[in-house]
Amino acid sequence: MAKSSADDVELRRACISAIEDPKQKIILSLRVAKSHGILGKSSKLGRQMAKPRVLALSTLTKGQTTTAFLRVLKYSTGGVLEPAKLYKLKHLSKVEVLTNDPSGCTFTLGFDNLRSQSVAPPQWTMRNIDDRNRLLLCILTMCKDVLGRLPKVVGIDVVEMALWAKENRAPVATQSNVQDGGPVASIMTERELKVNVEKDLVSQAEEEDMEDMEALLGTYVMGVGEAEEFSERLKRELQALEAANVHAILESEPLINEVLYGLEAATNCVEDMDEWLGTFNVKLRHMREDIASIETRNNSLQMQSVNNKSLIEELDTLLERLRVPSEYAACLTGGSFDEDRMLQNVEACEWLTSALRGLEVPNIDPTYANMKAVKEKRAELEKLKSTFVRRASEFLRNYFASLVDFMISDKSYFSQRGQLKRPDHADLRYKCRTYARLLQHLKSLDKNCLGPLRKAYCSSLNLLLRREAREFANELRASTKASRNPTVWLEGSTGSGQNVNATDTSTVSDAYAKMLTIFIPLLVDESSFFAHFMCFEVPTLVPPGGVVNGNKAGYDDDDDLGIMDIDENDSKSGKNSAELAALNESLQDLLDGIQEDFYAVVDWAYKIDPLRCISMHGITERYLSGQKADAAGFVRLLLGDLESRISMQFSRFVDEACHQIERNERNVRQIGVLSYIPRFATLATRMEQYIQGQSRDLVDQAYTKFVSVMFATLEKISQTDPKYADIFLFENYAAFQNSLYDLANIVPTLAKFYHQASEAYEQACTRHISMIIYIQFERLFLFARRIEDLMFTVAPEEIPFQLGLSKMDLRKMLKSSLSGVDKSINAMYKKLQKNLTSEELLPSLWDKCKKEFLDKYESFAQLVAKIYPNETIPSVAEMKDLLGNS
């Protein structure tokens, strides 16, 4: 048998070096092979992927507490052991020997503190059964001795393990003795030896007692030989003892008398002592009662003294709380609101707020709250509060109005002739931020005072914003140079030489974009500043230094109000909804009326070039999508109204163009390609150039309306002259396809109408060609139709016997129809060419006509071959040659 690794001293030393903890003692170390199986499945794959490992059992003793560990060590690149994993034996819940290993050397250890119980535990394979039993026996022994419990054992016979332990006790003891120190290191061996030793000691003691008893009995000599003699001897000795006792009693009588006399004297002394003690007890009882009375009075006086002291301290504290500092009272009732005095005003507000809260029941004892002095002081503070709120509100209303009046009176703040000026409210906000904390405290003192202040601020600033927007819009229109484009694109009465090469009007949409670029961020900034400044408890509109549609917001980190919400912990969802509604209502007052200047720019751009509505719609949609996350409700409404205005103007243009198309049907007889067909292609090309962002839907809707009206008008015009309706239709549908071929390849909506026109073109061509063919070969194909109709009710072999369908009738019909077939073919070509205005369509139409005629003639030839098998007619190939030569 190979030497066990448990006896490998070098392995034990390597384990001690790898642990690097001198306080831990190595109990057992064994080499194993580690592999992994699949959870819930038996697998032998782990045998092929086994890794060498070392399992070491160690203990750590702290005071009277011993902790047992199972360490897993692996070999590094240089073959040196290093720690891999550490398990505490107190978490060991299961020891299972795998049954799928015939050798029985593979087992798993289950721990109840592993993070993922879905991962299969590692499988450990020992070199032999002895190493397995040695390790498992040591683990179980340590669990029982150190932890007082055993884990669940699966897959191994406990009796077999016990027999093995009995047979291999000496090797285990030897290994335990190798490790020095520690009670746990030799637990198993010492306990077993102690039991054996105790058994030996008990047996030796019993033997010694037996030997002593025998020796004692051996040394005692009775001196008699008979039992009667021994009984007589005992009687004589008993009588001698009784006689000796009686003699001793008679001799002790004088002593007894002396004892009785002493007892009587002691009894008298005790009775005297009892009388004295009774007297003393009465006196002591009276003294105890006097002392108790004195202590009671003393305790009462002491308690009264303590209560009086506490009452004085409490009254001093209450008086301090009720005192109004003179400097705060002067500031609240008549102080100035200049910038240099704002710190004192804020401190006075903070004191007043805390004083009012201090007199409320949660912060003051309910008994004090009902005191007259407290009620009077609360009324005094309320009067101070109302006085201060009234003075501050009046000052702020006048202050807001004076700021705006000053800016409006200075023309340099606004755009002037030849100079567009971006509105700048930095100075205005800087001056307003001086009073931001004052507004916060006004809100905490009286929330109702904020309503009039907000209206005053909105009214004043609204005048400034409308003036800025009006001056900017006027100068923007005046400084933008652009020639007007024709608004009549699809008029049928105008000449074909209409100027469709419109001038460049991009400056119009650029002017509109500039208006939005300047004012939308400004309005969002004003909305955000207003929400913060006027203490609305709503989420941040645009964070300081934020970006609005790619443009930096109007105020940055240095422009932050520098204030905190005093009631920030009271935010509730319902309260926020009410605050948001109030904010949007105030924003309506702040920004109302400014939309008229935006409308004026839109209407001005429409008059110059209606198609610029497309690009303006895309610009507006881009800004609108950027504002969806903001709480600046009026800005979103403004952009939505602008988008609706632009869509309305563009719809007006589309409706006028559709009316221009519909006026064609009221004209005299139309021939050839209608003028609005090529003009629509030019219009669509122009519209595609103006598309920006999300304006594709707007353009597609216009295409749908245009083309629907165009096609409906075509159909109505074609009905005025049914004789030439098909020629009129396929010429116009062909022109529609030719003019929109390039655009249909890139615009899905136009591609749909392109295919619709293509189908209508094919249908019109088919109807016209069929009419020409039937005009020249009417008897031929009428004869074929009669045969086809009879084949539904009459057998094919009986058809030649029907009236008008005999062989003689067939020959007559062929002679009349095909005797001059080349002339008939030339007549078809001339008929096709006669009323055609678009000569470029003739080759394709003639090819369609020839193909259609050959298909019909081939069907006729098949009918003749089936019904009249003995009759001969010109073959399809001959007809094809005749058509090819025409």
Side-chain angles (χ1 to χ4, degrees):
M1 179 184 297
K3 180 181 179 181
S4 172
S5 59
D7 302 325
D8 192 342
V9 179
E10 294 297 331
L11 177 62
R12 180 181 300 275
R13 292 174 180 171
C15 292
I16 294 173
S17 300
I19 294 176
E20 297 180 352
D21 187 358
K23 295 182 180 180
Q24 293 202 24
K25 308 300 181 182
I26 300 297
I27 305 302
L28 182 67
S29 58
L30 289 171
R31 292 186 178 91
V32 299
K34 176 185 176 182
S35 59
H36 283 280
I38 302 175
L39 188 64
K41 297 182 180 180
S42 62
S43 174
K44 295 184 180 180
L45 181 61
R47 294 269 184 169
Q48 303 171 2
M49 301 174 61
K51 300 178 182 178
R53 294 288 188 269
V54 173
L55 292 181
L57 291 170
S58 64
T59 60
L60 176 62
T61 303
K62 292 184 180 179
Q64 297 181 354
T65 303
T66 302
T67 306
F69 301 96
L70 174 64
R71 290 183 172 272
V72 182
L73 298 98
K74 65 179 180 180
Y75 289 94
S76 62
T77 307
V80 180
L81 282 179
E82 60 182 18
K85 287 188 177 181
L86 176 64
Y87 302 96
K88 289 186 179 180
L89 285 186
K90 68 178 181 179
H91 296 297
L92 181 63
S93 59
K94 182 179 179 182
V95 178
E96 181 178 2
V97 177
L98 302 183
T99 57
N100 60 339
D101 185 2
S103 66
C105 296
T106 302
F107 62 92
T108 61
L109 300 176
F111 294 87
D112 57 9
N113 64 334
L114 296 182
R115 293 183 179 178
S116 177
Q117 296 295 338
S118 61
V119 179
Q123 300 176 0
W124 310 101
T125 303
M126 310 301 295
R127 293 187 174 184
N128 49 56
I129 292 294
D130 290 338
D131 281 358
R132 184 206 71 180
N133 292 341
R134 186 175 288 106
L135 177 61
L136 296 184
L137 181 62
C138 189
I139 290 174
L140 296 176
T141 304
M142 292 178 69
C143 289
K144 180 178 180 182
D145 294 338
V146 177
L147 306 177
R149 63 174 180 83
L150 290 175
K152 182 180 179 182
V153 180
V154 179
I156 186 170
D157 191 355
V158 179
V159 177
E160 178 185 350
M161 178 70 76
L163 293 175
W164 182 90
K166 183 176 181 181
E167 295 175 359
N168 297 270
R169 181 176 300 166
V172 176
T174 302
Q175 183 190 347
S176 302
N177 294 331
V178 172
Q179 179 65 31
D180 55 341
V184 182
S186 57
I187 286 175
M188 181 175 62
T189 306
E190 289 182 2
R191 291 235 172 150
E192 293 173 354
L193 295 177
K194 185 175 180 180
V195 172
N196 295 332
V197 170
E198 286 180 352
K199 290 180 179 180
D200 294 341
L201 289 175
V202 170
S203 62
Q204 289 177 4
E206 291 176 353
E207 291 178 359
E208 290 176 357
D209 291 340
M210 293 296 294
E211 291 175 358
D212 292 341
M213 184 63 70
E214 290 177 359
L216 180 62
L217 292 175
T219 57
Y220 182 77
V221 179
M222 299 270 305
V224 294
E226 296 292 338
E228 292 81 1
E229 294 181 0
F230 182 66
S231 177
E232 289 296 332
R233 180 178 175 181
L234 289 177
K235 287 180 180 180
R236 289 193 300 268
E237 290 181 356
L238 178 61
Q239 290 175 359
L241 287 174
E242 289 178 352
N245 289 335
V246 173
H247 178 73
I249 291 172
L250 292 177
E251 288 182 348
S252 61
E253 182 179 358
L255 297 175
I256 292 172
N257 291 332
E258 291 180 3
V259 171
L260 292 176
Y261 178 77
L263 289 174
E264 185 177 357
T267 302
N268 294 331
C269 292
V270 169
E271 290 177 354
D272 295 339
M273 185 64 70
D274 183 56
E275 291 180 1
W276 296 343
L277 290 176
T279 303
F280 291 148
N281 189 26
V282 173
K283 293 181 179 180
L284 289 175
R285 185 171 68 249
H286 292 307
M287 290 179 67
R288 281 195 298 270
E289 291 175 356
D290 294 341
I291 291 172
S293 176
I294 293 171
E295 287 181 349
T296 301
R297 290 195 300 269
N298 187 33
N299 291 338
S300 178
L301 291 174
Q302 186 177 2
M303 181 63 67
Q304 185 177 0
S305 175
V306 172
N307 290 338
N308 289 336
K309 184 178 179 180
S310 300
L311 178 59
I312 291 172
E313 293 177 354
E314 191 68 22
L315 289 175
D316 290 339
T317 304
L318 181 60
L319 288 174
E320 183 64 26
R321 294 172 67 178
L322 297 179
R323 188 179 68 86
V324 179
S326 58
E327 63 274 15
Y328 292 156
C331 186
L332 292 171
T333 56
S336 173
F337 289 100
D338 294 338
E339 293 185 15
D340 54 349
R341 295 285 300 171
M342 283 312 300
L343 181 59
Q344 290 82 349
N345 288 323
V346 169
E347 291 177 354
C349 287
E350 291 175 351
W351 174 86
L352 182 58
T353 303
S354 61
L356 287 170
R357 290 181 177 177
L359 296 181
E360 294 175 355
V361 171
N363 301 316
I364 192 173
D365 192 276
T367 305
Y368 293 162
N370 296 324
M371 292 175 62
K372 182 178 179 181
V374 174
K375 292 181 178 179
E376 291 177 352
K377 186 57 64 174
R378 187 184 298 117
E380 181 182 350
L381 293 179
E382 289 290 341
K383 185 177 180 180
L384 280 176
K385 181 186 76 173
S386 60
T387 302
F388 179 77
V389 168
R390 176 180 52 78
R391 292 177 57 251
S393 299
E394 183 179 357
F395 168 78
L396 289 175
R397 285 196 298 269
N398 296 332
Y399 184 74
F400 296 151
S402 62
L403 278 180
V404 173
D405 290 342
F406 174 76
M407 295 183 68
I408 291 178
S409 62
D410 189 353
K411 294 184 178 180
S412 62
Y413 278 103
F414 307 104
S415 299
Q416 302 177 22
R417 184 176 298 277
Q419 179 185 6
L420 279 174
K421 187 173 181 62
R422 179 191 296 266
D424 185 6
H425 292 179
D427 186 58
L428 174 66
R429 291 175 187 162
Y430 175 78
K431 292 179 179 179
C432 288
R433 278 196 303 274
T434 305
Y435 300 96
R437 290 185 64 84
L438 178 61
L439 281 170
Q440 282 287 102
H441 288 290
L442 287 177
K443 176 185 176 183
S444 63
L445 291 173
D446 185 6
K447 290 185 178 181
N448 295 327
C449 73
L450 288 182
L453 285 177
R454 289 168 178 172
K455 287 186 178 297
Y457 181 86
C458 293
S459 177
S460 299
L461 197 63
N462 179 260
L463 295 175
L464 178 63
L465 290 173
R466 292 180 64 180
R467 173 74 179 277
E468 289 173 338
R470 183 170 63 254
E471 297 294 342
F472 190 90
N474 291 339
E475 181 56 30
L476 186 67
R477 294 196 299 270
S479 60
T480 302
K481 306 299 182 183
S483 301
R484 290 195 176 187
N485 267 346
T487 58
V488 181
W489 282 86
L490 304 177
E491 179 65 67
S493 60
T494 59
S496 60
Q498 180 188 11
N499 181 21
V500 294
N501 296 320
T503 59
D504 183 19
T505 57
S506 60
T507 54
V508 174
S509 55
D510 292 342
Y512 175 76
K514 192 171 187 178
M515 184 80 176
L516 293 186
T517 302
I518 296 299
F519 277 91
I520 293 303
L522 174 66
L523 298 181
V524 172
D525 291 349
E526 287 300 331
S527 301
S528 179
F529 179 81
F530 175 74
H532 283 79
F533 182 58
M534 285 298 171
C535 309
F536 285 95
E537 297 177 9
V538 293
T540 304
L541 305 185
V542 177
V547 175
V548 182
N549 298 324
N551 300 310
K552 189 170 171 57
Y555 57 93
D556 52 21
D557 292 343
D558 296 334
D559 269 348
D560 193 6
L561 296 180
I563 57 179
M564 295 176 59
D565 283 336
I566 294 177
D567 299 328
E568 60 184 0
N569 294 327
D570 297 334
S571 59
K572 302 289 177 65
S573 59
K575 184 178 180 180
N576 286 340
S577 301
E579 282 287 296
L580 188 58
L583 172 61
N584 286 328
E585 183 178 353
S586 297
L587 291 179
Q588 182 76 21
D589 297 335
L590 178 67
L591 306 177
D592 191 24
I594 198 172
Q595 65 269 24
E596 298 300 330
D597 299 296
F598 287 88
Y599 294 162
V601 175
V602 171
D603 297 341
W604 164 75
Y606 172 78
K607 291 178 182 178
I608 293 178
D609 186 359
L611 294 182
R612 280 296 165 184
C613 291
I614 300 173
S615 55
M616 289 192 298
H617 185 277
I619 295 169
T620 308
E621 181 65 29
R622 185 175 72 249
Y623 274 89
L624 186 60
S625 62
Q627 295 298 322
K628 286 181 180 178
D630 298 336
F634 184 81
V635 178
R636 294 202 309 275
L637 292 177
L638 172 62
L639 291 171
D641 292 343
L642 280 175
E643 187 178 39
S644 300
R645 183 85 168 203
I646 294 169
S647 300
M648 180 191 71
Q649 294 285 30
F650 187 69
S651 299
R652 175 183 166 189
F653 164 75
V654 172
D655 292 339
E656 291 177 355
C658 289
H659 291 320
Q660 295 168 14
I661 296 173
E662 292 170 345
R663 279 198 290 269
N664 284 275
E665 65 181 273
R666 294 193 292 269
N667 296 336
V668 294
R669 175 176 174 266
Q670 302 281 346
I671 59 173
V673 178
L674 296 179
S675 59
Y676 62 72
I677 296 293
R679 289 175 187 168
F680 172 72
T682 305
L683 176 62
T685 303
R686 188 82 173 184
M687 291 170 66
E688 288 296 320
Q689 295 172 356
Y690 291 167
I691 292 178
Q692 291 187 16
Q694 302 296 324
S695 55
R696 164 56 64 189
D697 293 340
L698 183 70
V699 174
D700 287 345
Q701 293 173 7
Y703 286 158
T704 301
K705 191 166 186 178
F706 280 144
V707 177
S708 299
V709 173
M710 288 168 57
F711 287 177
T713 303
L714 278 179
E715 296 294 336
K716 289 180 180 179
I717 295 175
S718 65
Q719 299 304 320
T720 58
D721 192 356
K723 182 177 180 181
Y724 302 102
D726 292 329
I727 299 175
F728 175 77
L729 287 175
F730 69 66
E731 285 186 337
N732 280 276
Y733 283 126
F736 180 85
Q737 294 179 75
N738 293 334
S739 61
L740 290 177
Y741 177 78
D742 295 332
L743 284 178
N745 287 327
I746 58 176
V747 181
T749 302
L750 292 180
K752 179 183 69 173
F753 292 116
Y754 182 90
H755 294 306
Q756 183 178 342
S758 177
E759 293 175 1
Y761 168 79
E762 293 294 336
Q763 294 173 3
C765 288
T766 301
R767 290 194 302 269
H768 184 63
I769 290 171
S770 298
M771 180 192 69
I772 293 176
I773 292 174
Y774 276 108
I775 289 176
Q776 298 299 326
F777 298 95
E778 181 177 7
R779 292 189 62 189
L780 177 68
F781 294 115
L782 282 176
F783 192 86
R785 184 177 297 175
R786 289 180 61 192
I787 294 175
E788 290 174 349
D789 293 340
L790 283 175
M791 288 182 68
F792 290 105
T793 56
V794 180
E797 58 272 11
E798 296 179 3
I799 290 178
F801 303 101
Q802 300 297 320
L803 181 63
L805 295 177
S806 63
K807 294 182 179 179
M808 185 62 64
D809 295 328
L810 175 64
R811 295 188 190 103
K812 290 180 180 179
M813 182 273 300
L814 290 175
K815 183 176 181 182
S816 63
S817 299
L818 299 181
S819 58
V821 65
D822 51 347
K823 294 181 180 180
S824 299
I825 291 174
N826 289 331
M828 275 197 310
Y829 181 79
K830 292 179 180 180
K831 185 73 174 177
L832 189 64
Q833 185 183 22
K834 180 178 180 182
N835 296 309
L836 195 65
T837 59
S838 300
E839 294 293 335
E840 65 275 6
L841 298 178
L842 183 60
S844 62
L845 288 174
W846 178 237
D847 291 338
K848 289 178 181 290
C849 184
K850 291 190 290 186
K851 183 177 182 302
E852 183 72 15
F853 176 75
L854 286 175
D855 292 341
K856 292 180 180 294
Y857 187 78
E858 184 175 2
S859 299
F860 172 74
Q862 292 175 357
L863 284 174
V864 171
K866 185 176 182 181
I867 305 301
Y868 309 99
N870 297 325
E871 297 296 324
T872 58
I873 62 172
S875 65
V876 176
E878 293 176 358
M879 286 295 179
K880 188 173 183 180
D881 292 339
L882 288 174
L883 290 172
N885 295 329
S886 61

